[in-house]
Amino acid sequence: MRQQLLAAIFLFGIIGFSQAQQIGTETEESDFSFSVGLHQDVFFGFYPTLAGSYAIGEHTDLSFYGILWTNPNFSAGSHGIGLWTEFGLGVNFNAMNDQLSINPQIGITNGSLLSSYLTERPVFGDGIVPNLTANLNTDVFEAEFYGGYYLALREIGTVTTDYLHYWVNAGFKLGRVFSAGAYYEHLIQTRLTGAEGSDVYQWVGPYVQFALPNNCTVKFAGGPDIVSSDETRDFYKLSFVIDL
């Protein structure tokens, strides 16, 4: 059943982008958008991201994304072999004069974190990731939400695991370049074969963001992990994104 779901995701992508190509014989550059991000935090380590979209209507875009997880702890045998790789497709909806975007997507992970839980065998279609990203960006206020459920798609070996991951941040623009606000992020291991799920971390803290020339954004957040058994454990997260 889960393998059939994986095939359906790829079929959705092929049909969607085929229809996009048929919309018109002439395509304006403004129909496309693409961004590259570099991120690092205390749990996931360093991970580049990419995201793109193609306009198929006045307020609707086909979207895709990729995450190149480089943390060897997410790889086969924790040796950096078969690094976890995520790719997804979706549709982005714009509203409020393009100040609000809502982007549901479906991704797949490839590697050994979910379906084989850090064994020596990385696999294609390790997991499925239904997810939603929403952004609000006005002249004075900004907010972002992400929520994704990482569900093991195959059963390789004796242990599989699922995760729920979400974050939200909101703040005010204190000028043309600088903004600041509050950041919250939560990762839950909802299932682990042979054991009960549990909180992995729950981060709360302030963030600052700089909107720089040439479509560059830098965001830094930091603060305590409020569910860690180690009272001295903190979090920090830095992101750099450029729109090409």
Side-chain angles (χ1 to χ4, degrees):
M1 177 64 182
R2 294 187 177 184
Q3 286 81 356
Q4 293 173 344
L5 187 56
L6 176 61
I9 293 172
F10 274 90
L11 181 61
F12 164 78
I14 292 171
I15 294 174
F17 281 93
S18 295
Q19 289 179 341
Q21 290 181 337
Q22 296 173 4
I23 290 176
T25 57
E26 296 184 1
T27 302
E28 299 292 339
E29 289 187 5
S30 60
D31 290 339
F32 292 94
S33 67
F34 188 76
S35 65
V36 175
L38 300 177
H39 314 269
Q40 183 164 288
D41 66 47
V42 71
F43 179 83
F44 290 105
F46 175 72
Y47 54 101
T49 62
L50 58 90
S53 66
Y54 173 68
I56 58 174
E58 185 177 358
H59 302 292
T60 309
D61 311 305
L62 289 175
S63 63
F64 67 90
Y65 76 96
I67 305 176
L68 307 176
W69 302 102
T70 65
N71 190 332
N73 289 329
F74 302 157
S75 64
S78 298
H79 301 310
I81 301 171
L83 286 169
W84 212 35
T85 304
E86 183 176 342
F87 178 75
L89 303 166
V91 180
N92 183 65
F93 302 97
N94 299 300
M96 296 174 55
N97 294 322
D98 293 335
Q99 294 182 119
L100 174 66
S101 67
I102 301 174
N103 189 192
Q105 299 183 106
I106 299 178
I108 61 167
T109 61
N110 308 274
S112 63
L113 181 57
L114 304 178
S115 293
S116 54
Y117 201 57
L118 308 182
T119 69
E120 294 293 339
R121 180 184 173 186
V123 296
F124 166 69
D126 164 63
I128 185 172
V129 192
N131 61 86
L132 176 71
T133 303
N135 284 279
L136 178 63
N137 188 12
T138 72
D139 292 337
V140 296
F141 184 74
E142 63 186 15
E144 178 186 42
F145 169 82
Y146 169 82
Y149 192 79
Y150 286 76
L151 174 68
L153 193 59
R154 303 172 63 181
E155 294 185 2
I156 309 297
T158 58
V159 180
T160 58
T161 185
D162 303 329
Y163 292 92
L164 174 64
H165 185 204
Y166 64 95
W167 73 72
V168 60
N169 55 256
F172 292 94
K173 297 180 180 180
L174 306 176
R176 295 179 59 186
V177 174
F178 180 71
S179 59
Y183 183 91
Y184 174 80
E185 182 170 338
H186 195 186
L187 178 65
I188 309 167
Q189 188 174 47
T190 58
R191 180 176 69 97
L192 177 64
T193 303
E196 293 184 0
S198 61
D199 284 312
V200 179
Y201 63 73
Q202 196 169 171
W203 297 340
V204 177
Y207 81 88
V208 294
Q209 180 167 283
F210 297 88
L212 305 175
N214 300 318
N215 298 315
C216 297
T217 303
V218 176
K219 178 188 290 184
F220 179 76
D225 179 350
I226 62 176
V227 300
S228 173
S229 59
D230 182 357
E231 294 182 358
T232 63
R233 183 177 178 184
D234 294 332
F235 91 92
Y236 44 85
K237 184 172 186 176
L238 177 63
S239 296
F240 168 79
V241 178
I242 180 168
D243 294 323
L244 302 175

